[in-house]
Every structure is written in C-alpha cells, then in structure tokens.
Amino acid sequence: MKKRMLFIYNPKSGKGQIRGKLAEIVDIFVKGGCEVLVHPTQGAGDACRTVEEYQDQVDLVVCCGGDGTLDETAAGLLKSGAGLPLGYIPAGSTNDFANSLNIPRNMLQAAEDIMKGKHFACDVGDFNGRTFVYIAGFGLFTDVSYETDQNLKNILGHLAYLVEAGKRIFNVPTYRIKVDAGVKKLEGEYIFGMITNARSVGGIKNITGTGVELNDGLFEVTLIHPPRNPLELNGIIMNLLSPNENRSALIENFKTDRICIESEEKIAWTLDGESGGNHRLARISIRESALDLLIDTDRLRQGTEGKM
C-alpha cells in the first residue's frame, strides 16, 4: 500500500530554484512508493497551518525551502502531536540546519535520501511556548535574516545579508541581562547571544564549537560581552571562526538543557532566522528527541566524523 505524503515547498526560497526541479522531485517520491499531495506555501504561517490541516490524512511530511519553512513545518508537526516523520530538502540562502545534518544541497539527492532514509530523533527548542528547530538568538545582526528582502536574497545570496548588516555595524546596542541556566548564573552586558542545537549558524560551520550533537538533550549557549576596542572585537571574531582556539574572555560558552534570560527592556529575538518577537523574559528549554527526521544517517555520520 502506498504511503501518503504531504510535500510543502516555498516557491520563493533560494532564487526559486525548486521550480525547475519540482517534477523530478515528485517523480522520485512516486517511484519511492508515495502518493504525493503538493502544496506551495502562500505566505507566512501557511506551512504550519497546512500541516495541522492534513496531519491526520498523511503518513509523512516533506518540506522544501529555507530554515524558516523548516521551522514552520516542524512547528505544525509538533503542535498537532501526530508524530509524523519529516523529510527536508534545503532550498534557502543559508540552510544551517541542513548543513548541521549533512543533508545535500543537491535537491534531487536530498529527495533520494528521504526515500531511503532512516529515522533520526532530533532535539528541538521551546521558546516561551513556541517551537524553534536550531537557534534562538538576540543582539548583533540576529535580525538581519528576516529583515533582508526576499528578492534581494534571491538576487545576491549571502551578499544580501552583508549589505543589510553593513548598515548597522557602527550602531551596536548592548543589553544588560540576567542569565539562569541552573548550575550557571550570569549577569552583565552583552551584545549577542545564541542558544543553539546546530553545527552551523549563518553559514559558518563549527561556530557553536566542536563535538556538537543534535540529539544529546543539550543546547550550546554563546554569549558575547561588548568589546572595548577593535583589538578585542577582532579577538571575538577570530574565536568564533576558529572554535579550536582559546576562547576570548568576552565569550561565555556552556551547555544546558534550559535557560532563562531576563532583561529590564524588551529584547528582539530571532528564531531559526525569523522574527521571534520582543521579550523581557525568555524561558528556553530543550524538547529531547521531539522531531522524527528522515535522513541518510550514514551521510550524517561521515559529516560528523569529518568535523571531529
């Protein structure tokens, strides 16, 4: 008996590259024994709503798009509680989550991997009751992704993010926050913070450190104090780009399964590259093995071994 698949794709992601591959992707799924229901997203929130609408009519869900499309689809699955497996075909400008799992950028190969893939129970995050897949962040440049125009992303790719970031490099705000992560408690001024379950952020691999596992029940936390001069700023950048180097004293790094961040003023957060709203209090916890992914686990293992 054929399995029923809900295939959700964002027609605007990654220069709209899926348009030339859609028929071939669906053909791979059909040859793999699936009856495919195809749905192009119609705007923000549509992927989540579509999953909730069809979750009791299908056996698995596959999404194609950027990290935002993945975030919405995963949120719909977890909200519905259906426990359906999820396949992911990356088609965005950055695709951090796909890089972390060593999912191929070749869309047809990614589709093939889903059809022969094995189940991988992946951790996800909870941010004040809202699901995120791999990152919650605040501060320096974290809003660049969702404030950058989609058409500009499609034309310029990663350069579009640099154009947007360049507009504010000399106007960096600082935030005074209290951090409670159980055994770790901090208080001070910071320009940037990220709580991640990923090996790649902003297209930069290993920026969250080495030995990262996506199913160990732990976040990697990175908090950065404001530098006092260009030399300290350069030290921060070099440490982030070279995780094997000794960490700057201005960078706080640790692992935890939950964290509470409190500030006197509202802070703008981003979740998986999309706006997460403004909050004075952020309660963030991990949902261990909550997302059932269909991936090529051999490819994941090879990618992980290559990063050790």
Side-chain angles (χ1 to χ4, degrees):
M1 185 176 178
K2 286 189 174 183
K3 291 184 178 180
R4 296 203 72 198
M5 174 194 294
L6 173 61
F7 178 44
I8 297 173
Y9 72 94
N10 184 342
K12 295 183 178 180
S13 288
K15 304 179 182 179
Q17 59 181 305
I18 190 176
R19 294 172 187 170
K21 302 290 186 181
L22 183 58
E24 292 176 274
I25 290 171
V26 173
D27 186 59
I28 289 171
F29 293 152
V30 171
K31 284 183 169 63
C34 291
E35 180 183 346
V36 186
L37 174 63
V38 180
H39 180 88
T41 57
Q42 302 300 300
D46 186 55
C48 182
R49 290 190 294 268
T50 302
V51 170
E52 290 185 83
E53 180 180 354
Y54 289 99
Q55 52 90 17
D56 60 349
Q57 302 176 39
V58 297
D59 302 298
L60 71 158
V61 176
V62 174
C63 68
C64 178
D67 292 328
T69 304
L70 172 68
D71 176 272
E72 282 194 19
T73 305
L77 281 170
L78 295 172
K79 188 176 179 181
S80 71
L84 297 174
L86 173 65
Y88 178 45
I89 300 175
S93 302
T94 306
N95 304 313
D96 282 317
F97 191 68
N99 290 337
S100 295
L101 290 168
N102 209 27
I103 296 174
R105 293 187 66 88
N106 182 298
M107 300 171 76
L108 301 183
Q109 184 60 61
E112 293 276 8
D113 283 1
I114 292 168
M115 287 293 89
K116 67 182 181 182
K118 296 179 181 179
H119 294 266
F120 177 78
C122 185
D123 301 337
V124 297
D126 182 281
F127 179 95
N128 288 351
R130 176 176 166 180
T131 297
F132 67 94
V133 175
Y134 75 96
I135 182 171
F138 71 88
L140 184 64
F141 304 150
T142 51
D143 60 347
V144 166
S145 178
Y146 63 83
E147 287 194 356
T148 304
D149 181 77
Q150 182 64 55
N151 292 325
L152 189 62
K153 292 181 192 178
N154 290 344
I155 294 169
L156 299 180
H158 280 97
L159 180 59
Y161 296 111
L162 299 179
V163 170
E164 186 67 31
K167 297 176 183 177
R168 62 191 79 173
I169 186 66
F170 298 110
N171 186 27
V172 179
T174 61
Y175 306 91
R176 184 160 191 85
I177 61 174
K178 293 181 180 179
V179 177
D180 185 350
V183 295
K184 189 85 168 180
K185 292 181 172 60
L186 302 167
E187 183 173 359
E189 290 191 341
Y190 298 86
I191 60 170
F192 173 82
M194 62 180 178
I195 295 87
T196 59
N197 188 43
R199 300 187 182 101
S200 171
V201 174
I204 304 172
K205 293 183 178 180
N206 295 329
I207 192 172
T208 58
T210 57
V212 175
E213 299 293 340
L214 276 63
N215 59 352
D216 61 357
L218 295 172
F219 291 122
E220 282 68 40
V221 179
T222 303
L223 299 168
I224 300 178
H225 294 280
R228 292 164 294 186
N229 53 59
L231 187 62
E232 288 186 344
L233 176 60
N234 183 65
I236 290 171
I237 293 171
M238 292 302 295
N239 281 178
L240 291 175
L241 296 179
S242 304
N244 291 320
E245 299 293 329
N246 292 328
R247 283 289 182 182
S248 164
L250 298 177
I251 301 177
E252 305 276 1
N253 268 118
F254 57 93
K255 293 176 181 283
T256 184
D257 63 349
R258 61 188 62 247
I259 186 171
C260 179
I261 297 178
E262 186 176 3
S263 60
E264 293 183 0
E265 59 180 328
K266 288 187 176 181
I267 295 177
W269 284 81
T270 178
L271 305 178
D272 296 336
E274 304 296 324
S275 174
N278 301 323
H279 305 268
R280 288 192 180 92
L281 180 64
R283 297 185 185 277
I284 305 167
S285 59
I286 206 152
R287 298 178 62 179
E288 194 169 356
S289 301
L291 195 61
D292 182 12
L293 293 172
L294 289 173
I295 63 172
D296 185 332
T297 52
D298 290 335
R299 194 188 302 278
L300 171 62
R301 191 178 306 111
Q302 292 165 7
T304 303
E305 290 170 354
K307 297 179 178 68
M308 296 300 286

